[in-house]
Amino acid sequence: MSNGVIYGALIGAVIGLVVLLMTTMGKSSRDTAVVQGPTDQVLATVRGWAAANGYHESNEGGTLVFKHGTGVLTAVTMMTLTQVPSGHQLQAWIVMNALVAKRDLALSDPSFVGGIPRKSQRDKFNQLLAALGHPPVGDHTRRQLA
């Protein structure tokens, strides 16, 4: 093996590490929508959509959590459903992991990071919002976490 190949591999690894760490920099963000409707109807719509789109459901202290992907070959997409005084709050985001750092990134975030998987999941999430009578989240409709 020549020195050029070794140096090339090392430079590639360093660049890859820098890119991974850059994806986790910045504030976390999530898309948030508050939908109206009877609880049983909202639950049935969300659960049906989640099952049809390959999400796995769990319950964490009164919040339904839906997870898609493993984080190995596909980005992990998360969605939560929580009952709030004004209706039912849906939040959706992609989890960006880079070694020890982690960042939640809204599906509508305008950055290039994770653009392809975010667009795919945003289109699916907008189908759910349409079924619930809520306007879609767009490329630049961003909600920051507090």
Side-chain angles (χ1 to χ4, degrees):
M1 190 178 275
S2 73
N3 286 341
V5 172
I6 293 171
Y7 290 133
L10 288 173
I11 290 170
V14 169
I15 290 171
L17 181 60
V18 168
V19 169
L20 280 174
L21 291 174
M22 285 177 59
T23 64
T24 61
M25 295 173 66
K27 283 187 155 185
S28 288
S29 59
R30 297 178 180 180
D31 289 304
T32 302
V34 177
V35 298
Q36 307 298 319
T39 299
D40 55 345
Q41 182 181 353
V42 171
L43 282 174
T45 302
V46 171
R47 284 181 166 147
W49 173 89
N53 287 285
Y55 282 73
H56 300 282
E57 179 183 339
S58 62
N59 190 331
E60 295 180 10
T63 297
L64 291 180
V65 178
F66 299 89
K67 179 180 175 183
H68 179 272
T70 61
V72 176
L73 296 176
T74 59
V76 174
T77 306
M78 302 293 294
M79 185 182 73
T80 60
L81 176 65
T82 308
Q83 190 160 1
V84 294
S86 57
H88 302 85
Q89 177 178 279
L90 283 167
Q91 287 192 318
W93 68 97
I94 285 187
V95 178
M96 302 300 294
N97 281 317
L99 304 175
V100 296
K102 181 178 137 182
R103 176 181 175 199
D104 296 343
L105 192 59
L107 302 178
S108 62
D109 189 282
S111 72
F112 72 92
V113 176
I116 293 171
R118 284 188 300 106
K119 181 179 179 345
S120 171
Q121 293 302 321
R122 181 177 60 243
D123 291 346
K124 291 177 184 179
F125 185 61
N126 281 336
Q127 290 172 356
L128 171 61
L129 293 178
L132 293 167
H134 192 278
V137 296
D139 288 332
H140 303 287
T141 308
R142 187 173 176 178
R143 301 277 180 112
Q144 293 290 335
L145 289 178

